[in-house]
Amino acid sequence: MGTQGSAAERAGIAEGDIRVLVENGEYWLRNRGDIAMMAVTVERLRARWPRARIGVLTHQPGILQAMLPEAEPLCGPDWNWRPDGWHGRLSRTAGTRLVGPAALRWRAATDGPKDRLRALRSAAARRRAAGPGITEHVTVPEDTEFPVEIPAAVEQASLVLALGGGYMTDIDRYQAHRTLNLLEHARSLGIPTALVGQGVGPLRDPALLRRASEVLPGVGFLALREGRRGPELLARLGVAPERVLVTGDDAVEFSYRLRQAKIGADIGLCLRIADYSRVSAAAQATLGRVVRACAGQLGAGVVPLIISEYASEDRLSTLPLLAGASGARPAVGRGGTPHDVARQVAGCRVLVTSAYHLAVFALSQGIPAVGITASEYYDDKFHGLAQMFGTGLRIVHLDDPALDQTLTDAVRDLWDEAPSVRDALQQKAVEQIDASRAGLERVFRLVESGPVRPGHHRGG
């Protein structure tokens, strides 16, 4: 799709003509774990290519500008780069300094009432569809057709980079197909492609398996956040092993930087209920009762940890569990950042969480965690994470007939073990940070050693 460029041409590209199109997996920017991964990756891209344009596909341009001022939003209806030149730079500066903070304040003020109304509607729908006892959300029908929607910005991209997430799986087929379509189109134009920090699977849907086997073998590089399932699944899909590297989650570095020298004194708690994480009412009651009892016996506070603001799913499931806890701490506000939550985690001695990225935040700082799972999806997430860190993560299934005792033992054991596992966990975090940076170095080389594309030197 072009000819090999001279050293001078490459220097010119490195000085400002590179455009990185980032597929972040979560366009509404309501998951602080995903934002943490994106923050680390954007920082690394900016360090390598200081004058590059880093565009992120999003439905929330203002929120992106508030959270990640080093990136620029690519949003509908045209999904294209903004004009270059002084007026484009002025627009981006105004967005970062004015629009972004205003958008974050507006979301914080309005999300509560909107989410309470959605929750009432969702609860009524669940009662009609599922009956009592199980909380679940509506899923995408299996026979759904996924249109090919390609953002115009890809035409001028130097690199298409799909960031880590749990979307390359049956439970998020829309986002999986959207990402695969984008990667396939970029490759057809000769644009380098890569995936980093990915969790792949469970994957059994025939149509999604077929698309993945058509697209993923042609991707330039794939970095996985775990080695338990991903490498074998990619091999079955036809991906060459030399294109795959297990690096760990990209949010590891984000949280590791916020570690504290002093061991915390609280118990962190997060329960998420969604279509991919079914939880019975009895299990919810047991979880809350055990954590409150352990906190009382150990003289600990209980910190509600909110990682996802999507439909207030973490708030609606977690905050009621603190009712009656003598040492209940306040939750982060709806406008809170990933840094705010990671700092809350730093004040904990143990976490009990059904949210994967909170376990990442904890283990990366040397804090042990109990991973709560009620589905194969979370089994894979937590067992993969446990393998990456080697210690400090105890996995408990909510369908355990002895849940009360199993959970109590897990919390108390990890509370006692917290000082002894701290250094080992932090060392594993450092190893994953090094691996993640080495993986991104391979991504950089896809661009810097490849042909100079004609579109690099066009205006916006």
Side-chain angles (χ1 to χ4, degrees):
M1 184 61 195
T3 58
Q4 190 73 13
S6 67
E9 286 177 306
R10 295 190 189 292
I13 291 174
E15 283 300 310
D17 290 317
I18 286 178
R19 297 189 184 197
V20 182
L21 189 155
V22 174
E23 165 57 73
N24 74 355
E26 204 278 283
Y27 288 18
W28 292 102
L29 303 179
R30 293 184 182 275
N31 187 299
R32 295 185 177 97
D34 293 340
I35 295 170
M37 288 188 293
M38 185 162 37
V40 169
T41 306
V42 168
E43 177 188 300
R44 292 171 178 173
L45 291 168
R46 183 63 67 206
R48 180 61 161 249
W49 297 319
R51 294 174 54 202
R53 294 184 66 176
I54 303 170
V56 176
L57 299 170
T58 180
H59 293 312
Q60 294 284 304
I63 300 297
L64 181 77
Q65 290 170 314
M67 295 280 193
L68 294 174
E70 288 294 309
E72 60 180 284
L74 303 176
C75 48
D78 57 344
W79 299 94
N80 210 346
W81 304 94
R82 293 181 182 179
D84 213 341
W86 68 269
H87 51 294
R89 290 192 293 272
L90 179 62
S91 175
R92 292 193 290 273
T93 299
T96 299
R97 296 181 179 177
L98 301 174
V99 176
L104 204 56
R105 288 193 296 270
W106 177 254
R107 171 184 277 188
T110 61
D111 267 7
K114 289 187 292 187
D115 285 345
R116 282 191 287 273
L117 179 59
R118 291 192 194 100
L120 291 172
R121 292 172 177 169
S122 179
R126 288 197 301 270
R127 286 193 295 271
R128 291 193 299 270
I134 295 290
T135 302
E136 61 182 355
H137 291 203
V138 177
T139 56
V140 178
E142 291 188 1
D143 58 352
T144 301
E145 294 275 336
F146 296 97
V148 178
E149 300 175 351
I150 304 298
V154 71
E155 303 292 333
Q156 295 181 40
S158 311
L159 169 69
V160 172
L161 183 63
L163 299 192
Y167 54 79
M168 202 61 69
T169 176
D170 292 338
I171 70 164
D172 200 357
R173 288 177 296 128
Y174 172 76
Q175 177 58 29
H177 278 278
R178 178 167 64 182
T179 302
L180 291 169
N181 292 340
L182 174 62
L183 294 169
E184 181 181 59
H185 184 74
R187 183 183 175 223
S188 74
L189 298 175
I191 300 169
T193 57
L195 298 98
V196 295
Q198 292 291 327
V200 182
L203 233 178
R204 296 190 183 89
D205 177 74
L208 185 52
L209 277 169
R210 184 174 61 254
R211 282 296 288 147
S213 66
E214 292 168 350
V215 177
L216 294 183
V219 171
F221 174 69
L222 298 94
L224 299 177
R225 66 188 183 193
E226 53 80 31
R228 181 172 178 265
R229 298 281 194 194
E232 189 271 337
L233 177 54
L234 290 179
R236 285 195 281 115
L237 292 171
V239 179
E242 61 268 20
R243 295 192 178 192
V244 179
L245 182 66
V246 177
T247 63
D249 195 284
D250 292 330
V252 168
E253 181 169 356
F254 179 92
S255 189
Y256 176 78
R257 294 174 179 175
L258 299 174
R259 69 196 184 283
Q260 295 182 0
K262 182 180 178 182
I263 295 179
D266 289 335
I267 298 176
L269 176 61
C270 179
L271 173 65
R272 178 175 304 164
I273 299 177
D275 59 333
Y276 50 83
S277 179
R278 300 175 64 183
V279 180
S280 70
Q284 293 177 59
T286 299
L287 179 61
R289 182 174 64 252
V290 168
V291 171
R292 293 192 302 270
C294 287
Q297 295 160 7
L298 296 167
V302 184
V303 184
L305 298 168
I306 311 301
I307 201 80
S308 172
E309 295 287 0
Y310 172 74
S312 293
E313 57 187 359
D314 288 0
R315 290 181 185 277
L316 293 173
S317 304
T318 303
L319 295 183
L321 302 184
L322 273 69
S326 58
R329 312 294 190 207
V332 69
R334 292 178 184 272
T337 68
H339 283 89
D340 297 331
V341 175
R343 289 191 186 98
Q344 284 184 313
V345 170
C348 297
R349 185 176 174 122
V350 172
L351 255 65
V352 178
T353 175
S354 66
Y356 161 84
H357 263 119
L358 282 171
V360 173
F361 282 8
L363 298 172
S364 303
Q365 297 187 49
I367 300 166
V370 180
I372 300 296
T373 176
S375 66
E376 182 186 21
Y377 178 60
Y378 270 97
D379 287 349
D380 282 1
K381 279 190 168 188
F382 283 128
H383 281 290
L385 186 61
Q387 188 180 74
M388 294 301 295
F389 278 90
T391 188
L393 180 59
R394 191 79 62 87
I395 300 167
V396 173
H397 289 260
L398 288 179
D399 58 1
D400 186 335
L403 177 61
D404 194 309
Q405 190 61 51
T406 302
L407 185 57
T408 298
D409 291 345
V411 173
R412 295 187 67 89
D413 289 349
L414 291 179
W415 182 274
D416 293 339
E417 295 171 10
S420 63
V421 301
R422 193 171 184 84
D423 289 346
L425 288 173
Q426 291 184 358
Q427 179 56 41
K428 286 293 186 181
V430 171
E431 293 172 8
Q432 292 173 67
I433 291 167
D434 290 343
S436 180
R437 286 180 170 272
L440 202 59
E441 182 65 32
R442 291 179 61 173
V443 176
F444 293 144
R445 292 202 298 267
L446 292 175
V447 178
E448 295 172 350
S449 65
V452 178
R453 297 184 63 246
H456 286 162
H457 297 280
R458 290 202 303 265

